[in-house]
Amino acid sequence: MILYRPNDGDVHTNHISYRPRTCFIMTKLGEPVSDEIIMIRKSLRSVLEKYQIEDIDAESVVTGKDFLMKIWNLIVAVPLGIAIIDHNMPPLTLSNIFYEIGFMQAYGKETLVIKTKEAKVPSDFVRTEYIEYGQDFEDKMDKFFNTFLELPKYYDSMANMLENNPLLAIDYLRRAYLITADSDYRNKAEEIFRESIDGRAKNSVEALLAKF
């Protein structure tokens, strides 16, 4: 997959430090944060720990550089993004959250929206299945992760069928690796690269795609 930087629209050719078995949390971070959001994050963290997935957000990394590029790098580096919204969030905060979800979906990341009962989602997301926070929250999250953790098998099978399309096969293997952290997927991608497109420049799109 060719990555275009959001700040200037140019092709990104620098190394990306991928973060397997992580989840990017999109929600309100600055004060004041509602009690509901705090409660949801606490419950969500408990679920993520059960599946050995680390949660990160925009405050997890400090670069001292462009804030949008920091968010973009985190989005590209993870397999999953979860948005947490409530009805008290300012419109600007909601805009940022759904902008980031759009980024994630465009790059083939898995996404999930967790909302309070009164919160409303934008019209473009009315067909998107979400989880409403309540007594059955953990049960619904378990069902989501059962589906999510089945994806690597599908991605691996797709990579096996794409012998004549090495870049797409490598991309599927990268997705599987990010979910599982299983180095076998990374080794398989490197093997495809050596057999199909070896000899490309070290900073070529193909070479960067295969190094995850």
Side-chain angles (χ1 to χ4, degrees), residues 26 81-85 93-106 109-115 119-131:
M26 298 161 281
I82 295 181
I84 305 173
I85 63 171
T93 301
L94 285 172
S95 298
N96 285 336
I97 289 171
F98 283 98
Y99 175 70
E100 291 165 7
I101 290 177
F103 258 148
M104 299 205 78
Q105 292 183 347
K109 309 295 180 175
E110 295 301 310
T111 59
L112 178 68
V113 175
I114 300 172
K115 63 182 283 296
K120 298 190 181 302
V121 297
S123 58
D124 283 352
F125 287 83
V126 294
R127 294 174 58 189
T128 300
E129 191 173 22
Y130 56 80
I131 289 179

Side-chain angles (χ1 to χ4, degrees), residues 117-165:
K117 185 176 182 180
E118 299 84 1
K120 298 190 181 302
V121 297
S123 58
D124 283 352
F125 287 83
V126 294
R127 294 174 58 189
T128 300
E129 191 173 22
Y130 56 80
I131 289 179
E132 191 171 280
Y133 187 71
Q135 291 182 344
D136 57 352
F137 174 72
E138 188 169 344
D139 179 58
K140 289 181 179 178
M141 291 301 299
D142 284 337
K143 290 177 180 177
F144 170 78
F145 277 106
N146 287 339
T147 302
F148 175 70
L149 295 173
E150 283 293 315
L151 288 174
K153 295 179 182 177
Y154 165 73
Y155 293 150
D156 188 38
S157 66
M158 289 299 297
N160 290 333
M161 291 189 292
L162 292 166
E163 294 180 359
N164 295 324
N165 194 336

Side-chain angles (χ1 to χ4, degrees), residues 25-71:
I25 306 297
M26 298 161 281
T27 192
K28 191 174 190 310
L29 300 176
E31 296 292 341
V33 178
S34 70
D35 292 340
E36 288 178 303
I37 294 298
I38 294 172
M39 188 184 307
I40 293 172
R41 289 207 66 169
K42 183 178 179 180
S43 299
L44 176 59
R45 180 165 293 152
S46 177
V47 173
L48 292 172
E49 287 176 352
K50 180 168 66 173
Y51 291 99
Q52 298 180 319
I53 296 174
E54 178 188 2
D55 65 310
I56 59 175
D57 57 33
E59 294 181 346
S60 299
V61 177
V62 177
T63 65
K65 298 179 181 178
D66 187 284
F67 187 79
L68 176 59
M69 283 304 299
K70 179 179 78 169
I71 298 295

